[in-house]
Amino acid sequence: MEPKEKIILTGDRPTGKLHIGHYVGSLRRRVELQNSGLYDKIFIFEADAQALTDNIENPEKVRQNVIEVALDYLAAGLDPSKSTLFIQSQIPELCELSFYFMDMVSVSRLQRNPTVKTEVQMRGFSGESIPVGFFTYPISQAADITMFKATTVPAGEDQEPMLEQCREIVRKFNNIYGDTLIEPNILLPENAACLRLPGTDGKAKMSKSLGNCIYLSDSADEVNRKVKSMYTDPTHLQVNDPGHLEGNTVFTYLDAFATDEMVAAMTADYQTLQEMKDHYTRGGLGDMKCKKLLMSVLQETLEPIRQRRAEFEKDIPQVYEILKKGCEVAREVACQTMDEVRRAMKINYFQDYTLIEEQSRRFASK
Ligand code: TRP
């Protein structure tokens, strides 16, 4: 079905505070998209119900992180007057739509979903011990997206299989029941360094359990301390040794955060990041100088975020009020979509007057 409006939807599981990997991978872009004026509606939500699929014994963790993530959203610049911020579990229609979608996806199709495969491995679920709700979360995610008729889902490449599965469900639904739902497109991060920011230890992913994250809520001192201990190039022992950029976390972060204007303003010797990289690979540039630049760059980016966060932290009831209002707006949209879905699926018995009339006639003529 051709979309009438350009609608963005995306979200995060509230299982931890957001870190700078989230910021360059998604949050920064969301704020730009929000402020671009190119979209008719923007929905950003906390996937708490999805977080519970593998945290069912840990409700307190999810509950505490709902407010942390909301604060991170607001601190990063998501503006409730432009974007609807809401919480997944407060929209019961999402369960309803997921339930019908479950009839359109086979067990083998879910088993082939590469994201499910890796996540199942990561969590150490073996074979049949996977919770059904976790196994089927791509279906619930398809409901999240289609409920709001999203055309555009800004997300990392790891979400690509989810979007593919979602489009399959939409095509199947529209084929059977007539044009009702919209096929979404993924919007990947532009900068390759942002696709997945490694941890400060150089490991592939920032993760709380590895202790290699820089959080948006970290103090300036914490950020500096973490940068100082960052992984660089293990073969760059003497300043004059040629350095390597590949796998060098300091440069990966600089790629993700530093603009040439920042480099020119913050260093005495370089106009662009490339000039600095050239010096590093030639030899003669020490790691500490690179780290110093990274500290300045990160502070410039994170300081306004920290300040906004501190403001919102002063009025937590107001943050809950923002989320509650967002849920009300989201719920209205969800009810509208479910009306359309029920009509398409012919389970709108009480609204379908032709059905009642037809059957009255049929039974009268018996
Ligand atoms: N799976 C996403 C994550 O782990 C969260 C999410 C749930 C989501 N539903 C979504 C993202 C729909 C985009 C669209 O962060």
Side-chain angles (χ1 to χ4, degrees), residues 6 8-10 12 19-39 42-44 73 76-79 83 152-157 185-192 194-195 216 256-257 301 305:
K6 290 175 79 175
I8 285 185
L9 176 131
T10 187
D12 304 278
H19 51 61
I20 61 171
H22 294 114
Y23 183 71
V24 294
S26 56
L27 218 42
R28 179 169 65 184
R29 187 81 177 287
R30 289 179 201 170
V31 176
E32 285 167 15
L33 293 168
Q34 166 193 271
N35 297 334
S36 72
L38 293 173
Y39 291 87
I42 300 176
F43 297 95
I44 313 282
Y73 281 172
L78 290 178
D79 174 351
S83 300
T152 312
V153 177
E157 58 184 347
N185 291 306
I186 195 166
L187 186 66
L188 294 167
E190 284 159 336
N191 177 340
C194 302
L195 277 175
L216 292 177
F257 283 94
T301 312
I305 296 178

Side-chain angles (χ1 to χ4, degrees), residues 9-13 45 47 50 88 137 141 144-145 153 155 159:
L9 176 131
T10 187
D12 304 278
R13 296 180 193 191
F45 77 105
Q50 188 180 101
Q88 188 184 32
Y137 93 76
Q141 202 154 316
D144 300 336
I145 296 169
V153 177
Q159 297 293 310

Side-chain angles (χ1 to χ4, degrees), residues 201-222:
D201 55 358
K203 296 236 169 68
K205 202 180 166 184
M206 274 202 185
S207 108
K208 192 171 166 188
S209 53
L210 294 174
N212 60 2
C213 304
I214 297 178
Y215 293 101
L216 292 177
S217 48
D218 279 350
S219 69
D221 286 349
E222 275 168 309

